[in-house]
Amino acid sequence: VAVFGCLCNGKYASLVDCRLYLPKTWTTDVPRCTEAGIPANEMVFKTKQELAIDIIKHQLSMGITFDYIAADGLYGNDASFAREINNMGLVYMLDIHSDQQIFLEKPELFLPGRKTTKGPAPKKLKATIEHTTVSKYAGTIKPSDWKTIEIRHSAKGVLKGKFHFKPVYIWDKNTNTVESKLLVISRQKTKNGEEIKYSFTNATLVQYTEQAIAYMQAQRFFIEHSFKEQKQILGMDQFQTRKWLSWYHQIALNMLVGCFILKEKLLNQQEMPLLSARDVMDFLVFKFYKEMMTEERMLA
């Protein structure tokens, strides 16, 4: 399992960074790590969220610029991850799970008094108002409170979605703090019906338009597509390694090939706007192995 960093601009995306995730069963087993060639300074357990922060800091240290951070629900449901990005002065758009708890108004936290003189005194804080989940809240939204927004142009025309924006609060029980978020809920039609997506962002509707925030939430589609290309076309999930260095070498090679294909798309975007990674690979196969494929078959 690994954590990846991907740069995305419009419909173009490319993997740029990665960290191999080592479970505690590995980092507490020094002989096992030594046999795999893992450097001594890397034999430290880090969560996937901590590895993601390392990637962000590494990219910033190299002078890479970007408008915001996007990530899936594993990261979005971690309040400390969002807080650290916010403390860096960066904007985030993090997907969250449907059972994420929220408060529709800012709650006050208090320590309840004793009900009896027996037993220990209460130690757990309580909120002055009841929480709900994002999915339950979505079920209460009136049809008039959804806004149809044009997200971007696609191969099938203009992509639209229904969006709802709501300032909410969360209670991080690890730090006993109440934090404000902007909840972004989207509904889009799919082949199988309708997809509902939930996200938290520290962007505000004062800083950004609703369309800009909707666009930010929708952009992870191209990052996922980049992974799909890496796996299905470039074989990123089809190799086996037993050593730390060989794994990083293989991933680096995959990233370089992915970057090359991205450059080909950019160089040919005027004449061939629909050029795909599969097209580029097929063309290279044709150039290197002409005897296996006629020009007519290639063009077909």
Side-chain angles (χ1 to χ4, degrees), residues 10-25:
K11 66 178 182 178
Y12 299 108
S14 184
L15 301 182
V16 295
D17 212 331
C18 71
R19 299 290 187 280
L20 182 62
Y21 171 75
L22 296 174
K24 285 184 179 179
T25 53

Side-chain angles (χ1 to χ4, degrees), residues 42 71 75 166:
E42 297 287 351
Y75 304 90
K166 174 69 176 177

Side-chain angles (χ1 to χ4, degrees), residues 58-216:
H58 182 220
Q59 293 298 312
L60 290 171
S61 72
M62 294 192 298
I64 304 300
T65 59
F66 42 84
D67 294 326
Y68 64 97
I69 303 288
D72 64 28
L74 173 71
Y75 304 90
N77 279 67
D78 187 328
S80 61
F81 177 74
R83 191 182 308 116
E84 189 152 2
I85 294 178
N86 188 67
N87 291 340
M88 291 185 207
L90 301 171
V91 177
Y92 61 76
M93 173 65 73
L94 307 175
D95 292 350
I96 55 176
H97 300 150
S98 60
D99 59 356
Q100 169 68 44
Q101 295 181 357
I102 56 170
F103 294 89
L104 303 181
E105 296 179 10
K106 187 175 183 179
E108 297 294 332
L109 304 180
F110 69 97
L111 193 63
R114 280 179 172 272
K115 293 183 178 180
T116 65
T117 57
K118 296 180 180 180
K123 294 181 180 179
K124 289 186 178 181
L125 293 175
K126 287 193 173 184
T128 52
I129 57 177
E130 288 295 319
H131 67 260
T132 185
T133 64
V134 291
S135 59
K136 287 181 180 178
Y137 171 70
T140 67
I141 301 173
K142 298 176 182 177
S144 58
D145 289 333
W146 290 97
K147 295 188 177 181
T148 301
I149 297 177
E150 293 184 357
I151 304 168
R152 62 173 180 268
H153 291 281
S154 69
K156 297 180 180 180
V158 177
L159 180 65
K160 298 179 181 179
K162 291 186 180 294
F163 286 83
H164 179 80
F165 308 93
K166 174 69 176 177
V168 297
Y169 298 88
I170 66 163
W171 173 11
D172 182 3
K173 294 185 178 180
N174 292 319
T175 58
N176 277 325
T177 55
V178 175
E179 301 173 1
S180 61
K181 311 271 186 183
L182 179 64
L183 172 63
V184 183
I185 307 177
S186 64
R187 293 165 46 198
Q188 289 185 20
K189 291 182 179 179
T190 65
K191 293 180 181 178
N192 301 320
E194 186 179 61
E195 178 187 34
I196 299 181
K197 191 174 183 180
Y198 308 94
S199 305
F200 277 156
T201 180
N202 59 346
T204 68
L205 291 171
V206 175
Q207 298 170 294
Y208 298 89
T209 63
E210 292 177 340
Q211 186 172 15
I213 293 177
Y215 176 86
M216 287 164 62

Side-chain angles (χ1 to χ4, degrees), residues 209-264:
T209 63
E210 292 177 340
Q211 186 172 15
I213 293 177
Y215 176 86
M216 287 164 62
Q217 193 203 45
Q219 275 303 97
R220 273 198 56 245
F221 168 83
F222 295 106
I223 294 174
E224 296 299 333
H225 182 70
S226 178
F227 274 103
K228 186 177 179 180
E229 287 185 341
Q230 283 281 354
K231 291 180 178 180
Q232 296 184 358
I233 300 169
L234 305 186
M236 189 175 73
D237 61 346
Q238 295 172 15
F239 64 89
Q240 295 183 26
T241 61
R242 295 181 180 273
K243 300 290 184 180
W244 168 273
L245 196 58
S246 59
W247 185 86
Y248 273 102
H249 278 174
Q250 181 64 43
I251 290 295
L253 288 170
N254 269 94
M255 286 185 173
L256 285 169
V257 177
C259 183
F260 166 77
I261 287 177
L262 174 62
K263 285 186 175 183
E264 290 299 307

